[in-house]
Amino acid sequence: MNVLDYLKNNIVYMDGGMGTLLQAEGLQPGEHPERWNYEHPEVIIKLQKGYFDAGTNIINANTFGANSLKFDAEELEEIIRCAIANAKAAAAASTGKQEKFVALDIGPTGRLLKPYGDFDFEEAVAVFAETVRLGVKHGADMVFIETMNDSYETKAALLAAKENCDLPVFVSNAYGEDGKLMTGASPAAMVAMLEGMGADAIGVNCSLGPKALAPIVEQYLEKASVPVVLKPNAGLPRDVDGKTVFDVLPDEFSDDVAEMLKKGVRIVGGCCGTTPAYIKAVTDKTKDMSPLPIEKKNITCVSSYTHAVEFGASPILIGERINPTGKKRFKQALVENDIDYILNEGLAQQEKGVHILDVNVGLPEIDEVEMLKKVSFELQAIIDRPLQIDTTDIAAMEQALRRYNGKAMINSVNGKEENMKAIFPLVKKYGGLVVALTLDEGGIPATAAERVAIAEKTLKTAESYGIEKKDIIFDTLAMAISADPNAAKATVDSLHEIKHRLGCHTSLGVSNISFGLPNRDFVNSTFFAMCLENGLSAAIMNPNSADMMKTYYAYRALHGLDENCGDYINFASNFVPATATAATAAQPDASSEEYKSALQKAVVKGLKDQAGELTAKLLEETAPLEIVQNEIIPALDIVGKGYEAKTVYLPQLLMAAEAAKSAFEKIKAAVSSEKGESTAKCSFVLATVKGDIHDIGKNIVKLLLENYGFDVTDLGRDVAPEVIVEEVKKQHAPLCGLSALMTTTVPAMEETIKLMRAEAPWCKVVVGGAVLTQDYADKIGADKYAKDAMEGVRYADEINANLK
């Protein structure tokens, strides 16, 4: 039986933790657990049989870290072949009578993807693809992508699975205490992207215990139209007599998991710290429970790397300024590859309050495929708004969608058979909300009835591709009333019919209505109000238009969509008639109260090239250290405080650090020619401990420390205790940072600290990583537990100050 067929009418039980069980069987610190598949197959079979005997339906093959970054091709295949064979042997040996399946288990690579790291998206896809192909070759029943804490890497893994197999694919992410992924994604954002790409089940695992994960799971249940997975830890880890133990026991764990099954979770298991006893407790308590039906939520939405934007009662604003049509300066920016100008256009619209940014870079004299891919990528690096990919070039559309981090809005498809045949497969593969224009081979119809008929044909064709009505939004095409006095009526009547009879959302390029007329905003804003009253869901508009924004805020207040008229009051109280040109509005705002200067704003907003250029100009009249102390460090502090307050997310923090790095390169060049000046603080040795190849957290800390002036030595990943301590002694470094992601490598961290105390007692040791807690850090003798990178930087600053 296929696992999806079984899932239709049953609760599905997955296995529990593996790392702590292997440690109990003798896995040594720094040893790769995947090698036990061929070195100690009898142990793997015994442990997995225990889970099947406890009632597990799905066993994850012991392939969590099996990828080409860790193992050569020959060994990788042997690991995956043996892992799947072991799991099947365990199933055959088990006394359990339940349906049994073997999943190819895929965990994160431990690398951070560009633009925040050095790992390219397509490289990540290729790594995951190799593992998937081997899993298929050796007989896996399904693919389980798990413990992903970055939305972009999650997309790479899911895309690799979809492109290289037709097996069922479940996807599970690891959330922090703030309810976000490490790189900032909310549960709603992940549901939007993963459902859009066709994951068969989605959910959460690791990080926290079942009670702490419950609010996140409830958000999945509210948004998801596919089965939801829950695989929590057995609470938080702590060290007892040198052994890792967890604070939630099987009885409490099973009670909490049973409660989530009652709320609609369909697939359950355990993660770190759980054993067959935990799974048996769950199966015993829930074996007579009937699963709740999976309901379609019919949510129309798009998403960025941080959040989802839903289309509903309140109108959505789509900024139109990233488009060369009628914009001479923007065309020049495209031709000259002036990306900073384009990014500033995006930032200006974000600050005006648009929900989505339209991105159109179509010019005959440039390579649109490369430019659209580049602009979309750069915008997503510094702006958290979802993007509308706006192009008629199919190749450009596919490349942009493939690399888009989230669920994009796609502009557009139309009623022509040839066009639908080209666009709908892309929507199905990559996910997205597609704008459907009400035109076909006969052009743009003059009447509302004809436009609605095209909409009905489009919906029927989309359904044949497996695209639901919720993922189609119709543009009924605003035409110039200067050429046709009935144009506005046809547009409004058709959008009213599509919204209220067909039950679909609508979008419109509002400003087209006034083409050829003077004072166009007079007409645009009134037409905008007419459309809103007739059911318009979203408008592509210029947020610099005071008249359009007045209409938007007034409409929301009048329709009870603005609690206590708060947004309207804020807008009206700060309203200043616009006198600046669009070009001026797109330039850095050095007069902003939040930023002391244009350089500060460039650093905060993550504009790398602009930060370097502004620093070079400042150096002509300002001392290097003065720029560091009065411009760069205050800018980093703005972002750092925002990160600590959860108003800024990791990608924004990293891009600000990259912009500061660009500025520092100019500073260093100037300082090297001026004796007596130094920007460096004390030395800081960094390493990921022996046996652990995950260096995302370490690399983030390194980047921030360097920007705060520390002399950082990065020893890399999988570093032996002796090597770390020797480097500390060599430099007489006052600070050392140790990172570990997996419970199996924490003992290596403890071993390193013991050696440090014996041979370099002066050195303060900072520890961090997903499996660590304050209690755990205290037990292994660390001086400081840093929950995140900024906390580590703050501590380093304290130690450095005390050295003076």
Side-chain angles (χ1 to χ4, degrees), residues 37 74 128 147 177 199 255 285 491 620 648 663 745:
N37 289 316
E74 184 178 350
F128 290 124
T147 322
E177 293 178 345
D255 283 344
K285 287 180 181 177
T491 300
E620 294 173 4
V648 167
T745 57

Side-chain angles (χ1 to χ4, degrees), residues 63-77 79-80 106-109 111 119 122-134 693 717:
T63 56
F64 179 84
N67 62 60
S68 59
L69 298 178
K70 286 174 68 173
F71 306 103
D72 64 33
E74 184 178 350
E75 185 178 20
L76 179 61
E77 178 159 9
I79 283 170
I80 292 174
I106 295 179
T109 62
R111 300 278 296 277
F119 201 36
E122 293 296 351
E123 289 181 299
V125 173
V127 167
F128 290 124
E130 186 173 0
T131 298
V132 170
R133 287 192 294 269
L134 290 171
I693 66 158
R717 306 177 287 170

Side-chain angles (χ1 to χ4, degrees), residues 433-448:
L433 173 63
V434 64
V435 178
L437 308 181
T438 52
L439 64 85
D440 61 9
E441 288 82 358
I444 301 173
T447 68

Side-chain angles (χ1 to χ4, degrees), residues 778-794:
D778 291 341
K779 289 289 176 63
I780 64 176
D783 294 291
K784 173 66 179 178
Y785 163 60
K787 287 183 68 174
D788 55 45
M790 279 309 302
E791 189 170 341
V793 171
R794 302 289 189 221

Side-chain angles (χ1 to χ4, degrees), residues 714-728:
D714 180 5
L715 298 177
R717 306 177 287 170
D718 190 15
V719 186
E722 298 80 10
V723 174
I724 298 171
V725 174
E726 190 59 36
E727 186 64 30
V728 168

Side-chain angles (χ1 to χ4, degrees), residues 175-182 184-185 187 208 216 219 643 646 649:
Y175 289 83
E177 293 178 345
D178 62 352
K180 312 281 188 185
L181 298 190
M182 179 187 71
L208 304 165
I216 298 168
Q219 292 180 63
Y643 180 69
K646 307 300 182 186
Y649 297 106

Side-chain angles (χ1 to χ4, degrees), residues 367-664:
D367 182 344
E368 187 178 353
V369 175
E370 286 303 313
M371 182 58 77
L372 184 58
K373 184 169 68 172
K374 181 175 184 178
V375 169
S376 299
F377 179 77
E378 294 288 349
L379 282 166
Q380 283 212 291
I382 66 167
I383 292 174
D384 69 352
R385 297 295 188 264
L387 303 183
Q388 176 170 268
I389 307 301
D390 186 354
T391 181
T392 57
D393 186 316
I394 305 301
M397 180 180 288
E398 174 156 24
Q399 285 301 307
L401 289 175
R402 185 175 180 85
R403 285 179 172 263
Y404 181 78
N405 190 356
K407 179 182 179 182
M409 197 162 178
I410 303 166
N411 192 9
S412 58
V413 71
N414 60 53
K416 297 177 182 179
E417 291 296 336
E418 183 180 357
N419 186 262
M420 290 189 285
K421 187 177 180 180
I423 300 297
F424 282 147
L426 299 183
V427 178
K428 181 63 177 174
K429 178 176 182 177
Y430 297 109
L433 173 63
V434 64
V435 178
L437 308 181
T438 52
L439 64 85
D440 61 9
E441 288 82 358
I444 301 173
T447 68
E450 291 173 294
R451 296 185 195 186
V452 173
I454 292 173
E456 291 175 318
K457 178 181 72 172
T458 302
L459 287 174
K460 186 175 181 180
T461 305
E463 187 179 6
S464 71
Y465 285 89
I467 299 168
E468 299 180 50
K469 183 167 71 172
K470 70 181 180 66
D471 288 325
I472 308 284
I473 183 168
F474 285 98
D475 185 333
T476 57
L477 300 168
M479 305 301 290
I481 56 172
S482 59
D484 178 2
N486 294 313
K489 186 177 188 306
T491 300
V492 171
D493 288 350
S494 53
L495 78 83
H496 183 276
E497 186 79 354
I498 288 171
K499 180 67 177 284
H500 297 288
R501 184 169 71 81
L502 300 187
C504 295
H505 288 284
T506 56
S507 176
L508 204 60
V510 175
S511 62
N512 295 335
I513 201 74
S514 64
F515 183 78
L517 296 175
N519 292 315
R520 294 179 63 183
D521 275 357
F522 296 177
V523 176
N524 293 345
S525 59
T526 303
F527 180 60
F528 184 28
M530 287 174 60
C531 293
L532 290 172
E533 285 297 335
N534 280 275
L536 182 66
S537 308
I540 304 174
M541 47 79 73
N542 178 8
N544 294 318
S545 165
D547 290 327
M548 290 291 286
M549 297 305 288
K550 287 175 190 175
T551 298
Y552 169 72
Y553 284 109
Y555 174 87
R556 292 185 71 250
L558 290 165
H559 282 261
L561 302 172
D562 182 5
E563 187 175 357
N564 299 320
C565 299
D567 291 338
Y568 175 80
I569 291 170
N570 183 60
F571 170 74
S573 299
N574 294 289
F575 177 72
V576 177
T579 56
T581 64
T584 302
Q587 300 309 307
D589 178 12
S591 64
S592 168
E593 290 183 0
E594 186 179 355
Y595 311 111
K596 181 181 176 182
S597 67
L599 176 55
Q600 277 198 12
K601 183 172 184 179
V603 172
V604 171
K605 296 300 183 182
L607 298 170
K608 301 188 292 290
D609 293 344
Q610 195 173 97
E613 292 167 4
L614 290 169
T615 302
K617 289 181 181 178
L618 275 176
L619 284 167
E620 294 173 4
E621 55 188 34
T622 308
L625 287 183
E626 189 176 331
I627 297 173
V628 172
Q629 294 164 357
N630 297 336
E631 302 280 351
I632 301 174
I633 295 301
L636 286 171
D637 282 339
I638 290 172
V639 183
K641 289 173 182 175
Y643 180 69
E644 291 164 335
K646 307 300 182 186
T647 58
V648 167
Y649 297 106
L650 182 63
Q652 295 157 289
L653 180 69
L654 293 179
M655 293 314 295
E658 287 291 349
K661 185 177 180 181
S662 178
F664 267 117

